[in-house]
Amino acid sequence: MRKLFLLLFTTLFLTSINAQEQNWIMQTRLLNVDAEDVQKFESAVAKKTKMYNSKEGTARWLTFRILTGPNANNYVRAQLETSWEMFDNVDTVGNAYWQKTVGPLHTAEGGQFWWRNNGVSYNPGTNDGPKKIRRIIFYNYKDSKRQDFWRFRQRVAKAMEASSFPGRMSVFYCASGCNGNWVQVRFHHDSFTGQAETNGEPLENYIAKYNEMYGNDSYEQDGDKMQESLMPDGMRVRHHEYLPELSSPWGSRGN
């Protein structure tokens, strides 16, 4: 009964904070590529994407190079859509071309669906296109502590908005393919220099705004509760590099 209550609470909570915006759904897979095949792989992916995924109405694919962690120098390929129904539209011709040209150059593993939680994400509204660097924090939280985890994430987004934080933050929840309650919080930066800049005064300003909005020392207290909500090894930090030549043309996609 308690598990059922927690499931209903989470469903209602996440639905209510996402009611005003369309959620993006992202399907991802890890592509392992041998070092000697990197150039041919990137060239083949770029060609396939231009041929089959560059026009309106076609599947939209994004490609990232993994920069850190055990999978560094491999790739993440992500299909980004606005509804589950879009994943029923299988591009058999494009897929066959991929298998013929790109297939021999990589091995794929994983396969996950993530949906963007707009209520705890933040976009400063600059609409200045894609950023080169993603700093991604992966979290895995306990069922019994989900309220502490999501409260902190919601308050962070509200404090960012109130302080006019200059950087974009996208929060995705794993809907399928993960063992546990995995979430990825994606920070968008033009460069590592840009990351350092947002981690300076803008970070201090939004923390100060957080404490102003929710009480003295609330950022530290809520942050501690969020950390306590995590499973063992429930926090991992990775950097990915967005590869525009290997991706569909950019639109208003919060990835």
Side-chain angles (χ1 to χ4, degrees):
M1 186 69 183
R2 186 169 182 271
K3 289 185 177 179
L4 177 60
F5 171 78
L6 288 172
L7 177 62
L8 290 173
F9 171 83
T10 302
T11 302
L12 291 171
F13 178 78
L14 297 181
T15 300
S16 66
I17 61 181
N18 280 283
Q20 297 180 347
E21 296 186 66
Q22 170 66 50
N23 289 319
W24 289 103
I25 304 168
M26 182 168 64
Q27 182 184 25
T28 64
R29 54 196 171 102
L30 172 67
L31 306 182
N32 297 304
V33 181
D34 292 335
E36 61 268 21
D37 292 329
V38 163
Q39 186 174 356
K40 290 186 292 184
F41 168 83
E42 292 193 357
S43 176
V45 173
K47 184 175 181 179
K48 186 271 178 184
T49 303
K50 184 176 181 180
M51 290 175 62
Y52 293 99
N53 307 110
S54 62
K55 297 180 180 179
E56 191 66 32
T58 60
R60 290 166 288 197
W61 287 95
L62 308 177
T63 305
F64 299 88
R65 181 185 293 114
I66 303 171
L67 301 180
T68 60
N71 296 312
N73 300 317
N74 288 299
Y75 301 81
V76 171
R77 181 84 163 164
Q79 182 181 357
L80 194 67
E81 301 295 350
T82 58
S83 69
W84 289 102
E85 290 80 2
M86 296 298 295
F87 294 98
D88 288 328
N89 300 327
V90 179
D91 179 12
T92 55
V93 176
N95 288 350
Y97 183 85
W98 173 278
Q99 292 300 327
K100 180 180 179 180
T101 60
V102 187
L105 302 173
H106 79 284
T107 58
E109 65 178 89
Q112 299 164 334
F113 281 104
W114 303 81
W115 59 266
R116 187 176 190 268
N117 189 325
N118 289 318
V120 297
S121 299
Y122 168 73
N123 190 331
T126 52
N127 295 322
D128 52 354
K131 304 294 185 179
K132 181 179 180 180
I133 299 296
R134 303 289 188 280
R135 179 175 180 266
I136 307 172
I137 307 178
F138 291 89
Y139 295 104
N140 184 14
Y141 64 81
K142 304 170 186 174
D143 280 334
S144 60
K145 298 290 186 178
R146 65 181 65 228
Q147 186 173 1
D148 290 335
F149 179 86
W150 287 112
R151 180 193 295 112
F152 181 68
R153 296 260 47 100
Q154 185 180 35
R155 288 182 170 185
V156 164
K158 289 181 178 293
M160 283 185 169
E161 182 176 8
S163 65
S164 299
F165 189 78
R168 189 185 313 159
M169 177 186 69
S170 299
V171 180
F172 282 81
Y173 177 81
C174 188
S176 180
C178 297
N179 296 325
N181 301 307
W182 282 96
V183 173
Q184 52 175 300
V185 180
R186 303 167 67 89
F187 298 93
H188 303 232
H189 304 287
D190 286 322
S191 61
F192 287 101
T193 300
Q195 175 185 305
E197 290 173 350
T198 56
N199 284 341
E201 185 177 354
L203 176 61
E204 295 174 0
N205 289 342
Y206 104 70
I207 292 176
K209 180 60 69 173
Y210 189 110
N211 290 329
E212 177 186 322
M213 295 171 67
Y214 302 110
N216 291 336
D217 299 322
S218 57
Y219 181 83
E220 181 177 358
Q221 293 168 7
D222 290 350
D224 287 343
K225 289 181 180 179
M226 189 277 291
Q227 290 291 334
E228 292 169 2
S229 76
L230 302 179
M231 297 290 289
D233 191 30
M235 178 177 174
R236 306 171 184 177
V237 182
R238 303 288 187 266
H239 277 82
H240 291 182
E241 178 186 5
Y242 170 68
L243 302 176
E245 298 84 1
L246 281 64
S247 303
S248 299
W250 183 264
S252 57
R253 304 168 190 178
N255 57 78

